[in-house]
Amino acid sequence: MAKTIFKSFPEAELERRRNVSFSFSYDEIKVPETLKEYAKGKKYFIHTYGCQANYRDEEIMAGLLEKAGFCRGNSENNSDVVILNTCAVRENAEQKVFGKIGDLKAFKAENKNRVVAVCGCMVQQKHVIEHINKTYLHVDLIFGTHNIVELLDLLNEVILKKLRVVDVKSLPGDIHENLPSVRQSNFKAFVNISYGCDKFCTYCIVPYTRGKERSRKMKDILDECRELKELGYKEVTLLGQNVNAYGKDLKDGSSFALLLDEVAKLGIPRVRFLTSHPWDFSSEMIDVIAKHDNIMKYIHLPVQSGNDEILKLMGRRYTSEKYLNLVKEIKEKIPNVALSTDIIVGFPNETYEQFLDTLKIVKEVKYWSAFTFIYSPRKNTPAAKIVDNVTPKEKNQRFQELVNTLAEVIEPINKTLVGKTFPVLVESISEKNKEMLSGYTEHNKLVHFKGDPKLIGQIINIRITESHLYFLNGEIVSE
Ligand code: SAH
Ligand code: SF4
Ligand code: F3S
């Protein structure tokens, strides 16, 4: 059995700390010579779970691995290095990953020279590492969200010294610019504008797993977006756990409104952003969104709950009234806007009456879509310490009621789209029907239509012919 080297280990107490300083690094990543030698003819495969932050991390890891000389495998089975890029936001996300780690035991047993690595948000939790170390000894490398830049050095140690390595830092290091990356699409791209989160909603693990909120410099973001525009990208999504807070930490006058304005001016056909917290949403931001045709009139504005007591317990820093006032201002200034949201049901001790306030706000805002979750206690978060008197059965019933109410709101909206024509960014061949293509409207509605796969990556006009709850059907409008 390989010896385990513990280089660093995450501590929730440290992860909570916010008085940490960092700087910007533009250094080139060096590839260890021995790894270059090993990588010849070798393949890697990355399984990514969770949100767009992980999606983008996968692209960076792919960039690093390809710089070392690895090629992307088309499945784990024909690969030599497999990485699980994990998410910790809810219990069921973690269960999926543990299942996958278990499956990889046979993969490793087939060939001992293969490398199994686990990274991402899950391993930023001490108890998860302890569990892996006890149960899944075929995992060779565990590295955290703040250790991605060290991936090549860590792999080098695992491969050459035949060690098991655990390196999960509690605190973020510098912001690394100019990291190599291999983008997963050649027409839509995600661009990080900030890392981490300082909101500390009481139920949420992200501020621990991703660390302090850190903004990239505006110039670096704009350079990246300019390059994407020159490469012909049709859509850029600016990414942050809370994009509205962008720039506050830089203390150089940068703000999200300013950044969004500058990105829109570059002339990329579609500009999107994720996610906006209702608390920091400024009037300037609304004005900038309204001003530019290429900023998609689609805003994801997580409400979480419609009840003020629950919102307070969640630490969300707004009341339902404040949220509704923001929605009013957005709708007034951007008449053709589509709003979507995230909702949690069954927060500890939520009463049925409090839950009804959530249904009320759903009906009032008339969301175009929503992600709905049953509350999942996350170790070390404040909410996980509350003794909860709501039974799983009640939570499931509320969840179902919420889904039904959302359907009542969304179906009529979708019906109004029938007969109208929208530009659609064609993304792929439809998963259900190989003769159909799929794409998204400005308002993030999924549309299926017949067409030539050559259209993938283009924005074309589609007339909507049929509406369903989760998708629309349409046809290409000939010029
Ligand atoms: N930073 C983003 C996304 C965070 S995670 C934001 O604040 O909007 C995405 C969603 O997962 C959250 O909006 C929330 O609805 C949900 N979520 C987070 N922690 C959760 C938990 N412990 N249980 C259930 N849902 C959770
Ligand atoms: Fe989690 Fe709240 Fe931060 Fe979103 S804003 S990542 S829900 S702590
Ligand atoms: Fe999951 Fe981490 Fe994203 S917990 S939602 S992958 S920031």
Side-chain angles (χ1 to χ4, degrees):
M1 176 52 46
K3 199 172 143 203
T4 307
I5 300 289
F6 293 95
K7 298 183 143 227
S8 61
F9 216 64
E11 293 291 345
E13 270 315 308
L14 273 178
E15 290 180 332
R16 202 176 281 139
R17 256 180 60 183
R18 284 304 180 262
N19 60 338
V20 288
S21 59
F22 65 92
S23 50
F24 296 85
S25 164
Y26 296 83
D27 296 345
E28 206 189 314
I29 297 289
K30 293 201 181 64
V31 185
E33 286 304 321
T34 42
L35 189 69
K36 267 190 207 161
E37 208 41 53
Y38 171 87
K40 280 182 190 157
K42 297 274 196 317
K43 292 194 176 123
Y44 72 91
F45 192 77
I46 306 173
H47 284 280
T48 291
Y49 301 81
C51 69
Q52 289 79 5
N54 267 11
Y55 177 97
R56 184 70 188 124
D57 283 349
E58 168 172 345
E59 296 183 333
I60 305 280
M61 291 192 274
L64 291 166
L65 291 165
E66 293 194 17
K67 183 172 173 151
F70 290 95
C71 295
R72 187 190 286 272
N74 47 23
S75 82
E76 67 196 27
N77 290 324
N78 66 3
S79 301
D80 305 277
V81 174
V82 171
I83 301 179
L84 302 188
N85 185 18
T86 66
C87 170
V89 81
R90 281 170 296 274
E91 174 79 25
N92 53 7
E94 295 199 338
Q95 286 315 327
K96 245 195 268 172
V97 171
F98 281 128
K100 187 73 207 170
I101 302 179
D103 291 348
L104 287 173
K105 192 168 180 181
F107 164 84
K108 174 83 185 182
E110 254 176 48
N111 178 351
K112 291 272 180 244
N113 292 325
R114 285 171 163 169
V115 176
V116 176
V118 183
C119 67
C121 289
M122 251 172 95
V123 298
Q124 289 296 140
Q125 308 168 97
K126 195 173 167 178
H127 68 274
V128 170
I129 302 180
E130 285 164 352
H131 182 56
I132 295 176
N133 280 345
K134 222 175 359 180
T135 321
Y136 305 104
L137 284 168
H138 58 283
V139 173
D140 304 287
L141 171 62
I142 300 177
F143 62 102
T145 58
H146 309 308
N147 298 72
I148 289 176
V149 285
E150 285 133 37
L151 172 61
L152 299 183
D153 291 327
L154 294 169
L155 263 184
N156 192 44
E157 281 188 69
V158 168
I159 288 160
L160 284 158
K161 299 187 192 154
K162 305 258 181 258
L163 294 171
R164 288 186 81 231
V165 177
V166 176
D167 195 357
V168 182
K169 292 195 182 112
S170 299
L171 298 174
D174 292 344
I175 289 189
H176 277 265
E177 292 297 346
N178 305 337
L179 289 177
S181 98
V182 179
R183 293 204 182 260
Q184 301 181 55
S185 160
N186 57 10
F187 53 87
K188 65 183 259 188
F190 292 99
V191 171
N192 287 316
I193 66 166
S194 62
Y195 304 97
C197 180
D198 285 355
K199 285 285 181 285
F200 285 100
C201 302
T202 57
Y203 51 82
C204 185
I205 193 79
V206 174
Y208 303 83
T209 63
R210 291 275 167 180
K212 178 185 158 68
E213 201 160 68
R214 291 149 288 144
S215 301
R216 289 178 69 195
K217 287 190 178 154
M218 205 142 122
K219 178 183 179 304
D220 293 328
I221 298 167
L222 288 171
D223 284 349
E224 186 175 337
C225 292
R226 202 173 291 117
E227 192 188 323
L228 290 165
K229 159 90 168 74
E230 278 159 17
L231 288 168
Y233 275 77
K234 297 290 193 302
E235 180 175 293
V236 161
T237 303
L238 304 177
L239 276 190
Q241 290 302 336
N242 174 18
V243 291
N244 319 8
Y246 170 78
K248 286 185 176 175
D249 55 327
L250 293 173
K251 300 193 171 64
D252 64 355
S254 305
S255 71
F256 185 59
L258 206 62
L259 174 72
L260 193 56
D261 195 43
E262 291 297 322
V263 172
K265 280 194 223 152
L266 297 175
I268 298 157
R270 288 182 162 199
V271 177
R272 298 184 183 276
F273 53 91
L274 261 182
T275 301
S276 286
H277 191 294
W279 190 60
D280 283 323
F281 213 114
S282 68
S283 297
E284 292 77 44
M285 268 175 65
I286 303 175
D287 295 337
V288 171
I289 299 165
K291 187 170 92 183
H292 293 279
D293 285 343
N294 61 339
I295 300 180
M296 298 296 95
K297 304 297 179 266
Y298 167 82
I299 301 174
H300 185 61
L301 198 64
V303 66
Q304 313 298 1
S305 163
N307 177 269
D308 292 344
E309 289 137 34
I310 295 292
L311 285 170
K312 189 141 195 256
L313 289 170
M314 287 177 161
R316 290 291 290 181
R317 311 175 195 209
Y318 54 83
T319 58
S320 56
E321 191 192 347
K322 270 201 179 149
Y323 183 92
L324 288 170
N325 282 340
L326 174 63
V327 166
K328 189 160 165 258
E329 186 185 347
I330 291 173
K331 286 185 175 176
E332 274 168 11
K333 288 185 174 165
I334 316 169
N336 59 337
V337 75
L339 295 171
S340 68
T341 201
D342 290 349
I343 296 169
I344 298 176
V345 300
F347 189 80
N349 305 326
E350 178 193 59
T351 64
Y352 186 69
E353 284 65 40
Q354 288 172 327
F355 164 71
L356 289 179
D357 286 340
T358 298
L359 298 188
K360 202 167 137 212
I361 210 161
V362 163
K363 288 185 204 153
E364 182 140 5
V365 178
K366 297 196 175 63
Y367 294 109
W368 283 52
S369 64
F371 296 97
T372 49
F373 310 104
I374 292 179
Y375 166 74
S376 169
R378 305 285 70 210
K379 206 174 158 96
N380 292 315
T381 60
K385 297 185 181 77
I386 309 173
V387 181
D388 187 2
N389 65 13
V390 193
T391 64
K393 190 174 163 208
E394 286 170 302
K395 294 190 190 210
N396 279 309
Q397 278 168 349
R398 285 178 205 174
F399 183 80
Q400 203 44 57
E401 227 176 301
L402 172 63
V403 169
N404 295 343
T405 301
L406 277 163
E408 283 166 25
V409 168
I410 294 168
E411 269 178 339
I413 293 178
N414 287 355
K415 281 209 178 98
T416 66
L417 307 178
V418 176
K420 294 189 182 141
T421 297
F422 299 99
V424 166
L425 173 54
V426 189
E427 296 213 350
S428 59
I429 293 173
S430 163
E431 276 172 28
K432 282 195 207 137
N433 180 345
K434 297 283 169 246
E435 287 182 7
M436 306 283 274
L437 301 175
S438 304
Y440 288 88
T441 65
E442 157 164 19
H443 296 126
N444 226 18
K445 285 284 172 191
L446 173 63
V447 190
H448 302 299
F449 50 92
K450 268 210 178 95
D452 187 333
K454 281 197 202 112
L455 293 169
I456 291 172
Q458 293 185 34
I459 297 172
I460 57 171
N461 283 328
I462 301 287
R463 185 184 304 109
I464 306 304
T465 52
E466 220 180 279
S467 77
H468 296 267
L469 180 53
Y470 297 113
F471 66 93
L472 308 167
N473 286 332
E475 58 194 14
I476 297 177
V477 177
S478 36
E479 297 302 311

